[in-house]
Amino acid sequence: MDGVPEPHSGWTFLTNHARVLAAIADDHNARIRDIAAHCRLTDRAVQKIISDLEQDGYLSHTREGRSNTYRIDPGKILRHPAEAGLGLTVASLLSLLAHDEAGRTAPSDERETSA
């Protein structure tokens, strides 16, 4: 994917913050440009999202040479009052996203038998 990602109009089920967090969960050493390409966002948008997540304690990073290693706080309660009241955590969100990703990448015959 070269340059600016394709624009998207309309609504989606997941926020860009959730997408970036899930991409980091998949690869704690991912570069911003790789996260941006995966999430179909600009590098600048990913930088802003990472900054938001770090500011609120959902994410931290350590610098290792020229790269970053990210650490997600899995016990952090989700921000929206509807989720916070239920005690839903980052780990529960990522678990749902990982389960969904596994289902999408499984061969079609495996998905049919597990449904």
Side-chain angles (χ1 to χ4, degrees):
M1 182 176 283
D2 294 43
V4 178
E6 297 174 24
H8 178 272
S9 61
W11 63 274
T12 63
F13 284 103
L14 298 177
T15 66
N16 289 337
H17 284 66
R19 284 185 176 79
V20 167
L21 196 63
I24 290 171
D26 286 342
D27 181 0
H28 291 278
N29 298 307
R31 297 177 306 170
I32 286 178
R33 76 178 68 178
D34 296 331
I35 297 168
H38 179 78
C39 297
R40 301 178 76 162
L41 299 169
T42 63
D43 291 2
R44 185 173 293 218
V46 170
Q47 288 173 329
K48 171 70 169 105
I49 289 168
I50 287 173
S51 176
D52 289 346
L53 292 169
E54 285 185 319
Q55 184 176 356
D56 287 342
Y58 289 91
L59 184 67
S60 62
H61 77 276
T62 55
R63 190 85 172 151
E64 296 182 6
R66 294 180 57 191
S67 62
N68 290 319
T69 298
Y70 296 98
R71 184 188 166 284
I72 296 171
D73 181 352
K76 187 88 169 157
I77 301 294
L78 299 181
R79 287 181 49 149
H80 194 280
E83 289 98 23
L86 298 173
L88 294 176
T89 64
V90 169
S92 60
L93 172 66
L94 293 174
S95 173
L96 288 172
L97 294 176
H99 178 70
D100 178 56
E101 183 66 26
R104 283 186 284 153
T105 58
S108 59
D109 56 333
E110 279 185 32
R111 279 184 273 161
E112 292 169 4
T113 59
S114 65

